[in-house]
Amino acid sequence: MNVVLPDGNTLELADGASGLDAALAIGPKLAEQAVLIKANGETQDLRAPLPDGAKIEILTTRNTADPDALYVLRHSAAHLLAEAVRRLHPGVKVAIGPPIDDGFYYDFEFPTPITEGDLQAIEDEVKREIAEGRTFSREEITADEARERFRAEGEPYKVELVDTAQGAISLYTQSGANGADFTDLCRGPHLQNAAPIKAFKITGLAGAYWRGDSANTQLTRIYGTAFYKEADLAAYLERMEESRKRDHRRLGVQLDLFHFSELSPGSPFWHPKGMKIWNVLEDLRRRENLARGYVEVRTPQIYDKELWVTSGHWDKYREHMFTFESEERTFSLKPMNCPGHCVLYANGAVSYRDLPIRMSEAGVLHRDELAGALHGLLRVRMFSQDDAHIFCTPEQVEDEVLGCLDFGYSIYEKLGLEIKVELSTRPENKLGTDEEWDAAEGALKAALDRQGLTYSVNEGDGAFYGPKIDLHMLDSLGRGWQIGTVQLDFQLPQRFGLTYQGADNAEHTPVMVHRALIGSFERFIGILIEHFAGAFPFWLAPVQVRIVPVAEVHAAAAHELAAKLGGYRVEVDDSAETLGKRIRNAELEKIPFVIVYGEKESDDALAVRERGGGQSTKSLAELQGELAVLAAGA
RNA sequence: GCCGAAGUAGCUCAGCUGGUCAGAGCACCUGUCUUGUAAACAGGGGGUCCGGGGUUCGAAUCCCCGCUUCGGCUCCA
């Protein structure tokens, strides 16, 4: 057989040759440093046979930043972890241990629970294994052999993995000076030996359900990470530390934007400065809504249970609703606006000439989220959604969805946000016919394409009432959060008996488009805080300009200047602190502009300091011109 | 909700194995200073050591229960 090298040359190999054989044929040094091979673009273990005629590329320990090379390293590190845990905690059952972004984890079932205090010993043991040396070898066996083997070893999770594995079963054995030590079911690929693992660290301990199902046993998950270079680990830890500084929960306190109280878990208290940001967004929302043909409505906060029975929420969403009794009736705080909007729509006759009706409401919603799911502003129990429901004809759906996407992206681009788009299609328990779903999914795809968006598809992940487009963003630690959503709904209009009179004089059921672009103001502001690390652009900043009079005698002039900058959010700091201290405070508060005002200053010559330290002298007129541009959000 | 961890002044945190352990820095208040681009100086006030039980001569410290928060898991309509 032969393979094709990256330079185009052909290499002649014995039949059934592996990647390692290919590397050896090229040179011993390469074989020594090799960690995995790409055959026709697909990564595979060095020890697995190569397809005849494959184009190959060998990755080595020098590809220290290559994601695939890191995956292999970390996957092997995970196996060393399992070996160490088995040695230190006899009787432990091993489940699964894949590499992930930034590291790896391994799930175990411990005979007696472990705590964080046990982690150091495990980490030390892994480091000892690395120092001692481990060689990874691969073998392929049948599913029956594998099942038998793991059953004999008392590893029920492995048996289950074999049962659901696709294709050939491969095992990896890591052996050291003391003989074969640990064999694990694994697809691979793995390193040839442990030597390239120059940095190893256990980073966390958590519970995790077997196969991600909360009905299953909860296992103990140990997280860790590994690198080809010690310095890479240090850089990683440094990066994590920097990310933590952007955490909106930390900045929210530092910048005096909001706080939480034990008296109302999951519901933020917005401080005056936080509300400045909120109101800027609220103004933006209202202005843009009006410009795009939306009407604004306001609907009740609490409803009789009957409404939720009609909408289906009582069935599907009850455990997340706050309910209470009053005068022998059961009520619930609304977790969504849509049923209320349906009631509003139903009040009065609607003609096809009225459609589309774009009904918006930044309604306050309450959802009884699981205590363990709460997360600062990013997962709350009370929030305001920039909600809207578009009632339209089936023919109008595509244009309406496109309008929503265009609307959303006008906001995201203004803020420089990076959005991940997902399309979720019909689930198993869908309502409605396949024809309806074909049309609905087609309309969403067409709108996505017309907007020029790249998106991933989550097959079967749509709501039972219709497909949806979800818009996600990452927080400072790389966790994803849903910001916006555009959902098609055929069910709610039917459940509420909504109709419009068509041109054919017959009654028709409208299609409903649920749409949130900012999503919840709480979550959006939380994301913005992390995105800007608290240094908001001028048009969003709670305080835009701070004037610092040099001495007490300049305070009056400073206030006059502030008055001339009316229309902007301006403060005068005439406190009894030193000039240096007041400038420092303004910097710590991340205020975009500081104007120092003393003997030398006048309307013709202002000493302007920009956030970060840049200084310049400009006239009031020049400054006002500059601020006007920034205020527009350019 | 589940697994693990944490909760000490407004904020950040120290307080090891129970015995002046109720502290520091910043913030706050008062006074002095009247300031030229990231921290003037001095003094002072402030804590139910998350809450409730328990062990003990004695608990911030040990045990139990609860609440909240953090890291994950599940969930995210």
Side-chain angles (χ1 to χ4, degrees):
Chain A
M1 65 175 277
N2 57 63
V3 294
V4 182
L5 303 178
D7 61 10
N9 288 331
T10 302
L11 186 64
E12 195 65 38
L13 295 167
D15 281 357
S18 68
L20 201 52
D21 296 329
L24 270 168
I26 298 168
K29 191 81 179 168
L30 179 66
E32 197 181 303
Q33 293 182 343
V35 295
L36 86 163
I37 189 163
K38 285 184 184 175
N40 299 323
E42 301 229 351
T43 59
Q44 69 169 61
D45 194 283
L46 284 167
R47 284 144 295 199
L50 288 167
D52 193 11
K55 289 185 68 167
I56 64 163
E57 184 191 347
I58 295 168
L59 291 185
T60 72
T61 53
R62 289 193 287 191
N63 295 90
T64 54
D66 184 280
D68 290 322
L70 274 173
Y71 256 50
V72 172
L73 181 88
R74 289 163 175 175
H75 201 169
S76 297
H79 279 229
L80 295 178
L81 173 72
E83 182 191 331
V85 167
R86 275 168 46 117
R87 189 170 303 117
L88 296 178
H89 299 270
V92 71
K93 295 183 175 70
V94 295
I96 195 164
I100 53 175
D101 289 350
D102 288 346
F104 62 86
Y105 65 78
Y106 211 112
D107 287 347
F108 303 93
E109 185 184 333
F110 285 91
T112 52
I114 64 161
T115 71
E116 285 178 5
D118 298 308
L119 296 180
Q120 189 59 53
I122 296 171
E123 182 176 311
D124 291 344
E125 177 64 12
V126 172
K127 286 177 174 168
R128 197 191 61 75
E129 290 170 1
I130 294 170
E132 186 180 273
R134 285 291 182 281
T135 309
F136 290 91
S137 57
R138 177 187 167 97
E139 61 181 305
E140 297 201 356
I141 60 175
T142 67
D144 284 339
E145 287 168 343
R147 236 188 307 273
E148 201 41 56
R149 173 172 190 145
F150 287 115
R151 193 171 291 136
E153 285 180 13
E155 292 288 3
Y157 299 105
K158 293 296 176 191
V159 173
E160 209 178 316
L161 288 173
V162 172
D163 286 342
T164 52
Q166 308 279 329
I169 303 294
S170 55
L171 302 179
Y172 280 84
T173 299
Q174 54 214 53
S175 13
N178 52 349
D181 229 323
F182 177 50
T183 297
D184 201 355
L185 171 76
C186 187
R187 194 180 307 129
H190 277 283
L191 298 173
Q192 302 182 69
N193 58 64
I197 306 174
K198 301 297 187 198
F200 176 92
K201 186 174 174 57
I202 288 179
T203 54
L205 179 68
Y209 300 104
W210 169 237
R211 304 221 136 166
D213 186 340
S214 58
N216 290 340
T217 317
Q218 188 163 49
L219 306 171
T220 301
R221 175 170 296 177
I222 299 177
Y223 284 92
T225 192
F227 291 90
Y228 286 102
K229 291 193 289 197
E230 192 78 51
D232 289 347
L233 172 61
Y236 166 74
L237 294 175
E238 168 93 24
R239 188 159 56 81
M240 295 308 282
E241 192 46 49
E242 285 305 308
S243 297
R244 267 186 272 276
K245 287 184 189 159
R246 297 172 82 100
D247 191 313
H248 75 280
R249 291 166 297 189
R250 184 184 175 122
L251 287 170
V253 172
Q254 265 172 35
L255 301 177
D256 195 20
L257 302 177
F258 61 87
H259 85 277
F260 286 90
S261 161
E262 292 193 5
L263 295 173
S264 186
S267 301
F269 288 69
W270 286 95
H271 294 196
K273 282 183 182 161
M275 274 315 287
K276 297 274 189 197
I277 300 169
W278 181 296
N279 285 331
V280 172
L281 284 175
E282 174 74 71
D283 289 346
L284 174 71
R285 179 197 76 90
R286 180 163 285 133
R287 201 169 56 236
E288 287 296 312
N289 268 342
L290 292 177
R292 289 171 184 263
Y294 285 75
V295 291
E296 187 156 13
V297 300
R298 190 169 173 84
T299 57
Q301 201 64 38
I302 64 178
Y303 292 91
D304 191 287
K305 170 187 164 185
E306 186 188 332
L307 178 94
W308 307 112
V309 171
T310 303
S311 69
H313 286 84
W314 201 254
D315 233 23
K316 305 265 180 192
Y317 202 68
R318 187 154 141 55
E319 75 271 25
H320 288 305
M321 290 163 59
F322 289 105
T323 59
F324 60 95
E325 304 287 321
S326 176
E327 296 185 327
E328 296 176 21
R329 294 174 68 180
T330 302
F331 292 92
S332 174
L333 284 164
K334 66 177 171 187
M336 299 181 202
N337 291 305
C338 27
H341 287 185
C342 286
V343 173
L344 198 152
Y345 177 100
N347 181 258
V350 176
S351 155
Y352 74 96
R353 297 176 197 276
D354 300 323
L355 302 181
I357 294 172
R358 307 187 185 100
M359 202 182 278
S360 73
E361 175 175 11
V364 175
L365 308 178
H366 287 85
R367 300 181 185 179
D368 194 2
E369 300 288 354
L370 291 175
L374 298 178
H375 188 97
L377 291 177
L378 300 183
R379 179 69 74 85
V380 287
R381 289 205 174 118
M382 181 193 102
F383 60 98
S384 296
Q385 203 171 47
D386 75 315
D387 215 353
H389 295 95
I390 300 171
F391 299 92
C392 62
T393 69
E395 296 73 36
Q396 290 169 332
V397 164
E398 188 180 318
D399 281 343
E400 288 306 313
V401 171
L402 183 66
C404 291
L405 293 175
D406 184 64
F407 191 168
Y409 272 78
S410 73
I411 296 172
Y412 308 144
E413 282 166 11
K414 186 182 176 76
L415 288 158
L417 299 177
E418 221 175 283
I419 302 288
K420 281 205 315 205
V421 185
E422 291 175 8
L423 172 67
S424 296
T425 59
R426 69 197 79 182
E428 300 231 333
N429 64 341
K430 70 183 193 319
L431 297 174
T433 65
D434 278 327
E435 288 70 38
E436 284 173 325
W437 279 84
D438 285 342
E441 289 169 9
L444 289 184
K445 281 181 187 159
L448 285 167
D449 291 338
R450 282 168 69 189
Q451 184 71 14
L453 299 175
T454 50
Y455 56 92
S456 55
V457 177
N458 289 337
E459 297 289 351
D461 219 27
F464 65 92
Y465 52 74
K468 58 180 183 170
I469 294 169
D470 286 331
L471 307 166
H472 292 268
M473 272 214 58
L474 301 183
D475 70 10
S476 62
L477 287 175
R479 295 171 290 214
W481 300 90
Q482 183 177 312
I483 294 294
T485 186
V486 180
Q487 306 185 1
L488 294 188
D489 186 350
F490 314 114
Q491 297 308 314
L492 229 40
Q494 280 175 31
R495 284 172 166 268
F496 281 93
L498 305 184
T499 59
Y500 64 91
Q501 191 100 355
D504 57 1
N505 201 31
E507 283 203 336
H508 300 272
T509 303
V511 178
M512 198 173 174
V513 180
H514 303 245
R515 168 241 90 153
L517 304 174
I518 287 173
S520 96
F521 280 83
E522 283 78 359
R523 180 176 288 181
F524 198 72
I525 292 173
I527 290 282
L528 287 183
I529 291 169
E530 305 201 349
H531 176 68
F532 292 117
F536 296 102
F538 182 80
W539 63 277
L540 259 185
V543 178
Q544 296 174 308
V545 179
R546 174 159 296 161
I547 303 171
V548 181
V550 172
E552 211 175 310
V553 293
H554 308 116
H559 282 284
E560 279 172 35
L561 177 59
K564 290 173 192 163
L565 288 170
Y568 297 107
R569 297 184 287 277
V570 182
E571 287 180 355
V572 175
D573 182 0
D574 53 5
S575 63
E577 297 291 348
T578 58
L579 181 65
K581 183 60 175 293
R582 284 175 289 157
I583 286 168
R584 175 180 154 82
N585 285 342
E587 286 287 352
L588 290 176
E589 289 173 52
K590 302 180 192 283
I591 297 170
F593 288 98
V594 176
I595 302 176
V596 174
Y597 203 95
E599 291 305 326
K600 298 184 243 170
E601 281 71 33
S602 70
D603 285 359
D604 295 325
L606 295 173
V608 179
R609 179 191 168 100
E610 292 183 41
R611 185 168 48 201
Q615 289 177 44
S616 58
T617 302
K618 53 190 72 167
S619 71
L620 177 60
E622 283 170 338
L623 179 67
Q624 281 172 323
E626 214 175 289
L627 298 188
V629 171
L630 291 170

